[in-house]
Amino acid sequence: MSELAARVLVVEDEQQMLRFLRTALTAQGYEVREAVTAAESIVEATTHNPELILLDLGLPDGDGIDLTRRFREWTRVPIIVISARGREDDKVAALDAGADDYLTKPFSVNELLARMRVALRHAAQAGTDTSSTVIEVGELRVDQVRREVAVGGREVRLTPTEYRLLVLMAANAGKVLTHRQILKAVWGPPYMGETHYLRVFMAQLRRKIEADPARPRLLVTEPGVGYRMRDV
């Protein structure tokens, strides 16, 4: 599946925004399907099998967060939320529900297209190479068989927890992970509220893999939401 030939389902009830997205995406070679309600989006998704979904949260017949949960019951297609809701709580709720990324309106076309390319690329990799034992993101290389980590050819020694945290972030490069998602995956469900654990270990990890830990370029903070490994 070529990124520029991907079928994109746009779920948006604001006609001006819908026209804007249709024009921008069509000009880039994407095949665009549209839905203005949650009910229509389910029909479109099950009928036309989109490779990516752009989803507004405020729909006339339901909430986009609930719709995201419904999609995640049967599909792993990437979902990028595009919404005027800029509150951190809304971002966290959408990501925890299963969205892959979140853009707050207004946003630039270039930023949207970049996020879409990342989501499509990772979806394609997940579908064709699920058994890959080596993860490479920019100069970072993680060999999961040997449990070896290197940055620019330099070996990096990590504690077991640091290693689990890094593998999680690298395997989801380009995707925002919430504090709760990371804590659950690395430390387990009982620790989902212990955000101070995450801050401490993220700081340690940055000191080991970032050229300038005070200005991280790889492990970036999404304020109030979580962290993202930049797909460089």
Side-chain angles (χ1 to χ4, degrees):
M1 181 267 297
S2 169
E3 293 170 12
L4 295 185
R7 186 180 304 110
V8 179
L9 172 59
V10 179
V11 187
E12 170 65 70
D13 67 321
E14 183 184 338
Q15 288 301 314
Q16 184 175 355
M17 176 59 70
L18 189 58
R19 286 194 298 271
F20 165 74
L21 291 171
R22 181 196 309 130
T23 301
L25 298 182
T26 301
Q28 293 296 319
Y30 290 102
E31 178 186 340
V32 178
R33 304 291 307 185
E34 301 170 5
V36 297
T37 67
E40 286 181 10
S41 72
I42 294 293
V43 173
E44 283 288 337
T46 54
T47 304
H48 297 285
N49 298 316
E51 279 94 24
L52 185 143
I53 297 173
L54 298 180
L55 173 63
D56 182 35
L57 294 184
L59 299 171
D61 62 338
D63 185 80
I65 293 174
D66 292 333
L67 180 58
T68 298
R69 294 193 185 97
R70 292 177 64 186
F71 279 133
R72 284 292 173 253
E73 291 175 357
W74 59 274
T75 181
R76 298 307 306 169
V77 63
I79 298 173
I80 299 178
V81 168
I82 48 174
S83 177
R85 300 184 197 173
R87 294 190 313 146
E88 293 171 356
D89 288 350
D90 290 318
K91 295 179 182 180
V92 171
L95 294 165
D96 279 342
D100 294 88
D101 207 344
Y102 194 113
L103 276 176
T104 302
K105 300 175 183 177
F107 50 82
S108 71
V109 172
N110 287 339
E111 182 179 11
L112 173 63
L113 293 173
R115 301 285 186 100
M116 290 173 62
R117 287 193 296 270
V118 169
L120 288 166
R121 185 162 62 249
H122 283 281
Q125 290 170 352
T128 60
D129 193 16
T130 57
S131 62
S132 176
T133 59
V134 176
I135 305 173
E136 293 184 306
V137 182
E139 293 189 337
L140 174 69
R141 188 176 191 274
V142 182
D143 187 325
Q144 297 184 81
V145 173
R146 299 175 181 271
R147 293 181 69 86
E148 293 177 349
V149 176
V151 177
R154 171 181 60 86
E155 184 179 359
V156 178
R157 295 190 178 279
L158 302 178
T159 68
T161 302
E162 290 169 350
Y163 177 79
R164 290 197 302 273
L165 177 57
L166 181 64
V167 169
L168 175 69
M169 299 304 299
N172 292 278
K175 179 178 178 180
V176 179
L177 297 180
T178 67
H179 298 123
R180 287 170 57 86
Q181 288 172 329
I182 299 170
L183 287 162
K184 181 179 180 180
V186 177
W187 282 272
Y191 296 88
M192 288 169 64
E194 306 293 340
T195 55
H196 63 286
Y197 280 28
L198 184 51
R199 285 195 299 271
V200 169
F201 277 88
M202 189 62 72
Q204 293 175 184
L205 195 53
R206 282 170 168 165
R207 282 196 291 270
K208 294 183 177 182
I209 71 169
E210 296 279 5
D212 184 356
R215 298 177 178 81
R217 297 180 59 83
L218 192 60
L219 290 170
V220 298
T221 301
E222 297 288 341
V225 178
Y227 297 93
R228 173 170 55 92
M229 177 170 283
R230 185 178 284 130
D231 189 1
V232 293

